[in-house]
Amino acid sequence: MNKRIMKMIVLVATFLFIVPFYKVSAQSSKYYNVTRLSGQDRYETSFHIASQVNPGVANSIIIASGKNFPDSLVGAPLSKKLNAPILLVDDFNSGLAYKSLDYISKHLSENGTIYLLGGVSSVGNNVVKQLQQSGYSNIKRLGGTDRFDTNNIIVNQMSVKDGTPVVIVNGFNFPDALSISGIAASKGYPIFMSSANAIPQSIVDKISSIDPSKVYVIGGTSVLSDNVKNKLKSSLSGIEDSDIIRINGKDRYDTSLQAAKYFKLDSKYAILSNGRNFPDALSGSALAAKLNAPIILTDGKNISNQKNYIDSSDYSNVVILGGQGSVSLNAENNFNGIKLDIGGTFKGEKIIDLKTMDINNDGKIENMILTNNISDNGNVKLYLQDASNGQILESKIVGDSYNGYGQIMLADMTGDGLPEIISIAQEGGSSASESCDVETVDGNNLTKIDNYNDGEKPGLEDGNMSQDNFSYELDGYDTFRMYSNIFNKSCSINLSNDQYMQYARENGTESDVYLGHGPIFSLYDIDNTGTYGLKVYEDVSGIVHADSLGGFDAYYKYENIGMKLTNIDFNSRYPMTQN
């Protein structure tokens, strides 16, 4: 064989070897709606995920450690049962991030409960103190003497029915637990932890009390040995060998794919997360449960196997958890279609929030995108977009912000069973004042039902309550009074123990009061009917110090063609007497 023919054979063979790999990594023609939920760190990322899990009013919120995973691995099924987002907190030396507190203040119902997963070494008492100082009293810690005791306490909170299948994961390693978390939560299966070679008797006893019809062991024998399987078989009455099912792959990434393939959840969503770090997938497990979606792990770079599986399934939406350091832009670009990224850009404007759902009940998914354009008067704009093809259905300016912060809340305010879009823009400055625009979706159109921007709302003057609705005065240095003339209500607040006011008295310093923080908007459930109103908070501060002396909550609800002021309540951290 001459050298020219041999060279040609080598070239052809090389080409045939390369082509399959090229096809795997090339973009397919399948069209996806791709959303990336990320922040500057794991805590801000958990805030953005929580805003997707429950963009309206939450009756429960779960707080878990962002540094330690054991107490939190089994929290996804509880999150599903409570319809509660999972917010991450720093270790016990730090507290809740500002945005996490902001989420709680805007979304937690008045009598809602905050659940802390784990003991004080996971979520410290300083977090409890911080929450209590912010006015929250329904705080419940689900923590035991160790991770297994905590595991049982969390499962007890779920009130699992007899016969419910259960899931076993390694409690000292997180990837396989994260792979199954969303699936287990969607199906209502409790997750139990074990060590690699021995399952604690306390866990076995709890599983026995459930008397499960199936037991799913997640991971290979190096993760959970056959000793664990045999212990369960011998301890559970009525369980056959075929009822204990091991789901595993050649590595953590393949195991997550095998779990997705085995359970075949009926969903249009797949969630991608980095399999080497737990925080994003941990907070994302609540979103996976809500969307009935699997969490598919990746190393953040090579997603060929994951992409092949997603392409072969009915998924049309891909949610990426974390920034480009977790899942790379190259990995994201394997998916054709719309790409949205909080902190990224849309139409040349910064995306400050987004929500995805069938907002108009037409059987299709819409994107609601909130953007901020500092160069254009700080305009905050709301876009309504068809997620299937990227077509912009409508857009409008809903406020302005010079610090680039805003958020979308969704809630039924008109009582028609469909949510309205509440766009909040923080206007900037030390007062943390906000504007609020309420839009209902009529077909593919945005129709304003109310606006609270700089005097456009009747009853508000430059964003503040008018004197007819609310007024206040300082009587010397000891008494502060607030009035609601329209509701014939008043209160007196005793400042005799306020050190700043008394120091001002002793030194003859001028004292006065002024409107301080606010308006700040949140939602409230009207008579527990599932129809929501707006609560507007504003406080009054003393000129001798910036702390709030007192404040009010104004309650609005939709009537006929707009929002009507229905009540005003007073509040203060000082002794207060209502008249």
Side-chain angles (χ1 to χ4, degrees), residues 291-396:
L291 298 175
N292 196 37
I295 293 178
I296 298 173
L297 301 184
T298 170
D299 65 2
K301 299 176 182 178
N302 180 9
I303 63 163
S304 56
N305 291 335
Q306 293 86 344
K307 178 68 163 50
N308 286 339
Y309 166 71
I310 293 171
D311 282 345
S312 67
S313 303
D314 292 331
Y315 306 120
S316 55
N317 298 271
V318 175
V319 180
I320 298 174
L321 304 181
Q324 295 179 21
S326 296
V327 179
S328 71
L329 182 61
N330 287 336
E332 177 184 331
N333 286 339
N334 276 266
F335 298 94
N336 294 322
I338 307 163
K339 295 182 174 65
L340 299 174
D341 181 0
I342 293 177
T345 59
F346 183 77
K347 300 295 182 181
E349 300 158 5
K350 180 182 177 181
I351 299 175
I352 55 177
D353 198 12
L354 63 92
K355 297 291 183 289
T356 299
M357 69 173 295
D358 181 4
I359 189 71
N360 56 5
N361 200 31
D362 65 352
K364 297 192 298 183
I365 299 297
E366 287 81 35
N367 292 321
M368 289 142 281
I369 309 162
L370 201 66
T371 67
N372 179 225
N373 191 338
I374 296 296
S375 62
D376 185 15
N377 298 317
N379 282 338
V380 173
K381 187 179 290 186
L382 173 66
Y383 290 89
L384 183 66
Q385 181 191 50
D386 186 331
S388 65
N389 57 25
Q391 178 186 358
I392 296 175
L393 305 175
E394 192 170 354
S395 66
K396 60 172 57 179

Side-chain angles (χ1 to χ4, degrees), residues 173-194:
N173 202 7
F174 61 82
D176 295 340
L178 295 178
S179 294
I180 199 64
S181 60
I183 295 170
S186 292
K187 292 184 168 293
Y189 299 168
I191 300 174
F192 289 96
M193 294 188 294
S194 171

Side-chain angles (χ1 to χ4, degrees), residues 48-248:
H48 289 307
I49 294 172
S51 296
Q52 292 283 348
V53 173
N54 197 328
V57 175
N59 292 320
S60 304
I61 290 175
I62 293 172
I63 294 176
S65 172
K67 292 288 185 69
N68 299 301
F69 63 83
D71 293 336
S72 310
L73 285 180
V74 299
L78 178 63
S79 167
K80 174 68 172 182
K81 186 174 184 66
L82 298 174
N83 190 28
I86 299 175
L87 290 169
L88 299 185
V89 64
D90 204 343
D91 59 32
F92 58 89
N93 291 318
S94 302
L96 276 165
Y98 163 74
K99 286 198 171 182
S100 295
L101 275 173
D102 184 62
Y103 177 86
I104 295 171
S105 70
K106 289 193 183 307
H107 296 271
L108 183 63
S109 64
E110 185 175 354
N111 298 314
T113 302
I114 300 172
Y115 293 88
L116 312 179
L117 298 189
V120 294
S121 61
S122 293
V123 180
N125 281 330
N126 65 308
V127 174
V128 176
K129 183 178 179 182
Q130 186 180 16
L131 291 169
Q132 289 172 337
Q133 288 175 340
S134 298
Y136 304 106
S137 56
N138 295 337
I139 303 170
K140 187 170 185 177
R141 184 182 292 279
L142 304 178
T145 56
D146 58 25
R147 67 191 67 193
F148 302 110
D149 189 27
T150 295
N151 191 165
N152 280 336
I153 290 171
I154 292 172
V155 172
N156 285 339
Q157 193 67 39
M158 293 175 57
S159 301
V160 180
K161 293 182 179 179
D162 291 350
T164 302
V166 302
V167 174
I168 313 297
V169 299
N170 188 311
F172 295 88
N173 202 7
F174 61 82
D176 295 340
L178 295 178
S179 294
I180 199 64
S181 60
I183 295 170
S186 292
K187 292 184 168 293
Y189 299 168
I191 300 174
F192 289 96
M193 294 188 294
S194 171
S195 63
N197 293 307
I199 185 167
Q201 187 60 45
S202 62
I203 296 291
V204 174
D205 291 343
K206 182 59 185 176
I207 295 174
S208 297
S209 71
I210 296 173
D211 191 21
S213 59
K214 300 281 185 184
V215 176
Y216 297 101
V217 178
I218 311 301
T221 53
S222 63
V223 175
L224 290 169
S225 73
D226 282 335
N227 291 339
V228 173
K229 183 177 177 179
N230 294 335
K231 173 69 173 177
L232 290 168
K233 183 180 177 182
S234 64
S235 301
L236 302 177
S237 61
I239 282 284
E240 302 293 334
D241 190 61
S242 60
D243 295 325
I244 304 178
I245 301 161
R246 185 185 292 275
I247 299 174
N248 67 290

